[in-house]
Amino acid sequence: RKAALEQKESQEVVESIIAPANETIAMLEQDESEDESVSETTMQSVNYEEPPMTQGTSGPVEDFVQIYDGEFVVVREADDASGSAMCEPFYLTGWNSWDVTRVPRLQSYRSMSGQEALRQQLKTASESGFNVIRAWGHTIDSRFPVLASPGQYDESGLRAIDFLLSEASKNGIRVILSFVDNWKYPGGVDQMIDWSETAPEREIPLPASLLEGGDYNQDGLPEEVKEYIVKRHSLFYTDEGARSIYRDYVETLVNRKNHYNGRIYRDDPTILAWNLINEPRCESWLVGDCEEKLQSWIESESAFVKQLDPNHLVTVGEEGFWASDSEYEFANPTWWAKKMGQNFKLNHMPDSIDFATIHIWPDTWSRPEESFQKAWILEHMRQAEEELGKPLILEEFGKSLEAGDDIARRDQVYRSVQETVEDSAREGHALKGSLFWNWEVPLLQSPGTYEINEGDSTFQLVRDHARRMSEIGAGKKAFPCGSTRTVSAFSGP
């Protein structure tokens, strides 16, 4: 997975279509609302005219997805005048497009701009029956910053997120946004630590892997460098300066007014949920109290998000590892998983965490056997249902495609996941949906990774799965769930 993502960063296609680094927007509308300001940071996009409505789609999104009695539901008013609420079960079928929030800033390439490419992808997704996209609420490319420096935001970056939300709504697609990334430096944990005024000055330069757009890791580093990187990375969960930068970013997004449709993010039902962080790491093999630090951070930051935005669901965004002192340690995919600071049950227990997530990476974890994949999903399903009382989604899964012969194996991975999800939905168990990794717009594609394309047999499998999930949902009757004033995103089981 790491190699695939690094390959994506260096692809020549993107290099050939982005604007030069010192090029700024030539024209901005003169009737900007008073609360929108344009930073002096370089902007690479050129066209922010109001996009036309997409034709033949199912939007717009009008109602929030919430939690009621352990189910994802869409809450609507009853047809009568009672003011009571009817809850319609909601099942998630969708995809990850990890850095899609930079796509609207890409300039024209072979007669297709980034905006046009994203609009086409969302239209295809809607027509295929997909209803959720997960993306970063930032970018991981230093050429396309959203947060340029602490408290300084690139307006073109924010408008790119605006565009995603506006177009997704028109197509009836909801969005999960992650506030920060564990892996990449731009828009990531280590950048916020380096920006912090309360964190120690960096003593050892950033590893070349991070500078070149790769992932946070310690592979091939001298022991003293490895330990320094791990200890510094863990500061994110306790350092007050990093926390302040993170919270300012959260507050900026939650209170953002969409340039295209005028919606305030906290009031926009297009946003299905917030991820606090993508795949958190605080490595207890070196930093002994890492599990406590991460748990405390999850509790405080989820409560902070809920205070700002009670309308939306919140979850962590983790893989779902169990800590070394957990009775489920045996179910981890590999020996190092118990030392990453995560603890699935505890991490998802706070009332301010609405639902649980897991990720599964058979190739990265060297656990390609189908029996492990099923066991990983089923054990989390059981714990989410019986011990947490919260719904669960498989937020990331995929299969690396290294050669044409691997297509059949990839298809089998997808079939296995889809069967498990469908059985759970049909039988009323905790697993309510899945998001595959990944499907990118053509402007960001590179071969030989986890991406699937519209012409692939795997893509057709997802289309068929979406249809079956829709049929399962249609067979579940809406049920009374109190008053529309009392059912909220914060409702528990």
Side-chain angles (χ1 to χ4, degrees):
R1 179 186 181 197
K2 292 183 178 67
L5 298 183
E6 290 171 8
Q7 181 181 6
K8 185 192 311 296
E9 285 300 301
S10 62
Q11 62 181 298
E12 295 181 356
V13 174
V14 173
E15 294 290 349
S16 70
I17 61 177
I18 63 172
N22 63 354
E23 180 178 353
T24 58
I25 289 180
M27 296 179 63
L28 285 171
E29 291 83 353
Q30 298 302 310
D31 58 346
E32 294 289 328
S33 58
E34 293 181 359
D35 62 337
E36 290 183 322
S37 60
V38 180
S39 82
E40 295 178 357
T41 306
T42 300
M43 302 179 188
Q44 281 95 357
S45 60
V46 295
N47 181 12
Y48 283 118
E49 296 179 0
E50 186 70 22
M53 286 290 290
T54 305
Q55 299 299 315
T57 55
S58 59
V61 175
E62 298 289 355
D63 300 292
F64 288 94
V65 172
Q66 302 171 15
I67 304 291
Y68 187 85
D69 197 23
E71 297 278 350
F72 290 103
V73 296
V74 175
V75 182
R76 309 187 195 280
E77 289 189 15
D79 293 335
D80 54 36
S82 64
S84 62
M86 297 297 291
C87 282
E88 299 178 1
F90 181 84
Y91 298 101
L92 294 76
T93 302
W95 77 105
N96 284 268
S97 189
W98 65 312
D99 204 18
V100 71
T101 48
R102 68 172 162 165
V103 170
R105 303 168 73 176
L106 301 181
Q107 296 203 38
S108 180
Y109 174 71
R110 295 182 181 175
S111 302
M112 178 175 286
S113 69
Q115 290 185 349
E116 293 166 342
L118 178 54
R119 190 181 292 121
Q120 180 59 50
Q121 185 194 50
L122 293 168
K123 181 176 182 292
T124 299
S126 180
E127 292 171 347
S128 300
F130 306 167
N131 57 12
V132 177
I133 176 176
R134 177 173 177 259
W136 299 173
H138 55 85
T139 67
I140 51 79
D141 189 328
S142 60
R143 298 165 299 182
F144 299 91
V146 178
L147 180 60
S149 61
Q152 299 297 315
Y153 296 87
D154 187 327
E155 178 65 16
S156 64
L158 291 169
R159 288 194 187 182
I161 303 174
D162 293 346
F163 185 86
L164 168 64
L165 293 175
S166 178
E167 291 297 309
S169 177
K170 294 174 185 178
N171 286 277
I173 293 173
R174 300 171 192 270
V175 183
I176 297 175
L177 290 174
S178 178
F179 288 123
V180 69
D181 185 36
N182 175 79
W183 299 109
K184 302 296 184 183
Y185 187 75
V189 164
D190 291 292
Q191 185 178 60
M192 289 188 178
I193 296 170
D194 285 351
W195 276 339
S196 169
E197 295 182 350
T198 57
E201 291 289 331
R202 178 176 286 277
E203 298 175 3
I204 296 179
L206 282 170
S209 61
L210 279 175
L211 288 174
E212 295 167 1
D215 288 351
Y216 158 79
N217 65 70
Q218 307 92 45
D219 296 345
L221 297 176
E223 196 64 28
E224 64 273 14
V225 176
K226 179 188 298 185
E227 292 188 2
Y228 177 81
I229 290 171
V230 170
K231 289 179 180 179
R232 185 168 180 83
H233 195 80
S234 72
L235 292 176
F236 179 74
Y237 303 102
T238 56
D239 179 72
E240 287 305 314
R243 187 187 304 267
S244 177
I245 294 168
Y246 174 86
R247 288 190 168 189
D248 186 78
Y249 195 73
V250 169
E251 193 165 2
T252 297
L253 287 188
V254 166
N255 294 318
R256 169 75 178 176
K257 181 179 179 181
N258 192 305
H259 173 76
Y260 296 104
N261 60 27
R263 283 175 165 175
I264 306 299
Y265 281 20
R266 66 174 179 271
D267 299 324
D268 187 356
T270 309
I271 299 172
L272 188 149
W274 301 108
N275 276 181
L276 297 178
I277 181 173
N278 176 57
E279 299 187 341
R281 290 287 189 279
C282 190
E283 300 181 42
S284 58
W285 65 270
L286 182 63
V287 183
D289 58 349
C290 250
E291 288 147 20
E292 292 80 7
K293 288 178 178 178
L294 177 56
Q295 182 67 25
S296 178
W297 184 88
I298 289 170
E299 292 172 2
S300 65
E301 300 319 294
S302 59
F304 177 75
V305 175
K306 282 292 188 182
Q307 183 180 18
L308 292 175
D309 179 8
N311 295 323
H312 288 109
L313 305 176
V314 174
T315 192
V316 182
E318 66 175 44
E319 293 102 314
F321 301 140
W322 285 285
S324 57
D325 60 350
S326 169
E327 61 182 305
Y328 302 100
E329 175 187 341
F330 71 92
N332 279 321
T334 184
W335 63 270
W336 51 258
K338 65 183 180 182
K339 301 178 180 181
M340 294 298 102
Q342 297 178 22
N343 198 342
F344 173 75
K345 180 181 175 181
L346 288 178
N347 295 164
H348 292 98
M349 280 186 69
D351 289 341
S352 46
I353 297 296
D354 294 294
F355 63 96
T357 69
I358 56 172
H359 301 175
I360 185 166
W361 291 102
D363 295 309
T364 303
W365 299 342
S366 299
R367 295 298 303 270
E369 62 272 23
E370 186 176 336
S371 59
F372 165 74
Q373 178 172 279
K374 287 187 175 181
W376 177 256
I377 297 172
L378 291 173
E379 187 54 53
H380 286 91
M381 280 176 56
R382 190 203 62 76
Q383 196 168 53
E385 185 173 333
E386 297 178 6
E387 301 181 39
L388 291 173
K390 297 181 180 182
L392 170 74
I393 64 170
L394 178 53
E395 197 176 50
E396 293 184 15
F397 79 95
K399 177 74 177 74
S400 179
L401 186 64
E402 303 297 338
D405 292 342
D406 290 333
I407 293 177
R409 289 196 292 174
R410 183 176 69 181
D411 285 354
Q412 182 54 36
V413 168
Y414 275 66
R415 285 192 194 96
S416 177
V417 167
Q418 291 164 357
E419 289 172 2
T420 304
V421 173
E422 290 166 22
D423 288 345
S424 176
R426 192 178 293 111
E427 297 168 11
H429 293 305
L431 184 61
K432 307 299 182 182
S434 62
L435 310 175
F436 69 86
W437 186 286
N438 58 323
W439 175 33
E440 306 293 346
V441 301
L443 301 186
L444 294 181
Q445 283 183 338
S446 60
T449 66
Y450 287 83
E451 290 106 334
I452 68 173
N453 302 311
E454 295 170 42
D456 294 345
S457 57
T458 315
F459 198 88
Q460 186 58 47
L461 287 176
V462 183
R463 280 192 174 113
D464 294 341
H465 171 63
R467 175 182 51 79
R468 292 191 295 271
M469 290 296 286
S470 179
E471 291 171 353
I472 292 171
K476 304 277 188 178
K477 294 183 179 179
F479 55 91
C481 49
S483 167
T484 54
R485 296 183 297 276
T486 59
V487 180
S488 71
F490 206 39
S491 296

